[in-house]
Amino acid sequence: MILLLILLSSPFIVSAADQLIFVQTLYRHGDRTPTGTYPTDPYQEDFWGVPWGELTTMGMKQHFLQGQRLKRLYVDKEKFLSAKYSRYDTSIRSADTPRCLQSAVANMAGFYSAVDHSGSPTHPTDVIDWPVDWTPLPIHTIKHNEDRELEAGVNCQRADELVVERVLKRNFLDFIASKWQIIADILLHSGGGYEADFDTLQHIWGAISIEERSKIISQKGVYNLTLPDWITDDFYNELGAAIEEALDYVDGGAGFGYEEETELLRLRAGFFLNEWINNINNAVAGNGLKYYSYSSHDSLVNDFMLLLHAKEALYGKGNSEYAATISCEVWRKSDGYYLKFMYSADAYTDFVPFTRLISGCPQNDDFCSVDAFMTRSQPYRPKSDSLRLRKMNVLCRNATCN
């Protein structure tokens, strides 16, 4: 791990003749409330002051800070984008989930902040209570159940079938069975009538992991939440370790003695991969915008990193952190077009290059040729583009839609 950190933190050289021509980013939404909980949990929805799964004020802050970090990189340092928003330069797309939409708004508020107060054409300067330097930007989205790019595996029967096949494999069933004490405690204390399976473990963890570390600023104040007595340190740590061990495998990564399920990764993250590749091709052809920003979930960030084979080396087997951001840059060099991938682990961590961790790209360079990236990505690209699938209303309802 120390060697990896040294590798990722090492300086990378850009020739004076090299030109940055395009950037696209994918990020996880910011800090949120739980998406639900178990019946006996003392912290039900009304406790949080906002609905289940809603972005918290901490999450808004995280993406404002991340937007400022991106601004420092691409406006201040690289001089690539203007400090003032233009739809001819920038496009923002979000998953159709409130926390993702809110995160996109907060991110762009940070990105296009600190514009000259005098006569800015992107926001009014003569409204007394107008937020300082805030420019309202258009956030594009499509319906949740049609968004094959930003909602990993949504409305995809074949992907669901592949997940079921994986969780029913013998080695994984033995792993779940080894967690019998955790499952027994859940069934005894949660009041939920749950099944003894991974979904149950993930549901409970989704609630208590947020509660345990929660320091939420809202109209009710700041919280350090105390978990019920039956959720001991041993229970909490063992459940967290189980989720971390199983998460990537269930999504299609290698694990428990089984190889990667390429088809599942293709159905969960391949449509987004197609989106990014189309943008790269447009940039190389001299078409399109200069910056695309995508707001989504940890599931897509994780699955996309699995597809690149860079996830475990960057942040292990668990989830990406809130506001984690992937940046893909397209550079024109004297001998062709190259990609540089960067990663910021959270709202408080600078970007580091990770191109050399991507399978099929050079392991001794922070740049990967567009041709090499296209070749290594081919097995993960769906045969049909998502727009055609939506129009045909067949969204992965059978094994041929991949």
Side-chain angles (χ1 to χ4, degrees), residues 102-339:
Q102 291 173 292
S103 293
V105 172
N107 190 283
M108 287 297 111
F111 194 97
Y112 288 107
S113 62
V115 175
D116 184 0
H117 287 267
S118 59
S120 171
T122 65
H123 61 77
T125 57
D126 58 351
V127 179
I128 295 176
D129 294 326
W130 187 269
V132 175
D133 296 334
W134 179 66
T135 296
L137 305 185
I139 310 295
H140 304 279
T141 191
I142 63 176
K143 292 180 180 179
H144 174 274
N145 65 351
E146 295 181 1
D147 194 349
R148 299 292 294 123
E149 291 81 25
L150 297 185
E151 298 285 358
V154 69
N155 198 20
C156 185
Q157 179 180 327
R158 178 57 180 159
D160 294 341
E161 291 170 353
L162 290 170
V163 169
V164 171
E165 289 178 11
R166 286 179 81 71
V167 300
L168 291 180
K169 288 184 180 293
R170 171 52 55 189
N171 292 351
F172 188 76
L173 289 175
D174 290 344
F175 170 77
I176 295 298
S178 73
K179 307 304 173 185
W180 67 269
Q181 185 61 65
I182 294 178
I183 294 173
D185 288 340
I186 291 172
L187 298 181
L188 178 63
H189 298 289
S190 68
Y194 296 111
E195 299 291 331
D197 58 18
F198 180 68
D199 285 345
T200 293
L201 299 182
Q202 200 167 23
H203 176 67
I204 300 299
W205 179 250
I208 69 174
S209 61
I210 291 176
E211 294 169 356
E212 189 275 341
R213 66 181 182 180
S214 218
K215 294 182 178 179
I216 297 173
I217 302 174
S218 70
Q219 66 268 30
K220 291 188 176 182
V222 179
Y223 298 96
N224 285 308
L225 305 184
T226 301
L227 299 179
D229 291 341
W230 64 274
I231 302 178
T232 63
D233 288 344
D234 287 344
F235 175 97
Y236 183 90
N237 293 333
E238 187 174 355
L239 177 56
I243 296 298
E244 184 171 297
E245 184 67 24
L247 188 65
D248 291 349
Y249 168 79
V250 173
D251 281 354
F256 300 97
Y258 303 109
E259 295 181 354
E260 166 191 290
E261 179 52 77
T262 301
E263 183 184 1
L264 182 54
L265 289 176
R266 183 163 63 240
L267 292 174
R268 289 184 60 84
F271 292 94
F272 179 74
L273 174 66
N274 267 355
E275 174 91 359
W276 265 26
I277 285 178
N278 289 339
N279 292 341
I280 291 169
N281 287 336
N282 285 334
V284 169
N287 303 321
L289 308 181
K290 298 176 70 173
Y291 179 48
Y292 279 90
S293 173
Y294 295 90
S295 180
S296 187
H297 304 272
D298 53 348
S299 55
L300 181 60
V301 173
N302 293 341
D303 293 346
F304 190 61
M305 283 296 200
L306 284 173
L307 180 153
L308 297 177
H309 297 155
K311 179 179 180 296
E312 188 166 354
L314 268 181
Y315 58 90
K317 293 183 177 181
N319 267 330
S320 55
E321 293 292 335
Y322 293 125
T325 302
I326 304 168
S327 174
C328 171
E329 304 174 352
V330 181
W331 288 79
R332 182 189 295 117
K333 293 174 171 282
S334 60
D335 60 343
Y337 293 90
Y338 289 81
L339 306 178

Side-chain angles (χ1 to χ4, degrees), residues 17-22 279-287 328-341 355 361-362 365-374:
D18 298 341
Q19 182 182 6
L20 177 63
I21 64 169
F22 178 70
N279 292 341
I280 291 169
N281 287 336
N282 285 334
V284 169
N287 303 321
C328 171
E329 304 174 352
V330 181
W331 288 79
R332 182 189 295 117
K333 293 174 171 282
S334 60
D335 60 343
Y337 293 90
Y338 289 81
L339 306 178
K340 182 169 73 178
F341 283 81
T355 317
C361 289
D365 198 342
D366 289 321
F367 292 89
C368 182
S369 72
V370 169
D371 288 342
F373 183 77
M374 297 300 181

Side-chain angles (χ1 to χ4, degrees), residues 62 66 69 321-325 343-351:
Q62 288 168 343
Q66 196 64 290
R69 177 173 289 103
E321 293 292 335
Y322 293 125
T325 302
Y343 184 69
S344 170
D346 54 41
Y348 313 100
T349 305
D350 286 336
F351 281 90

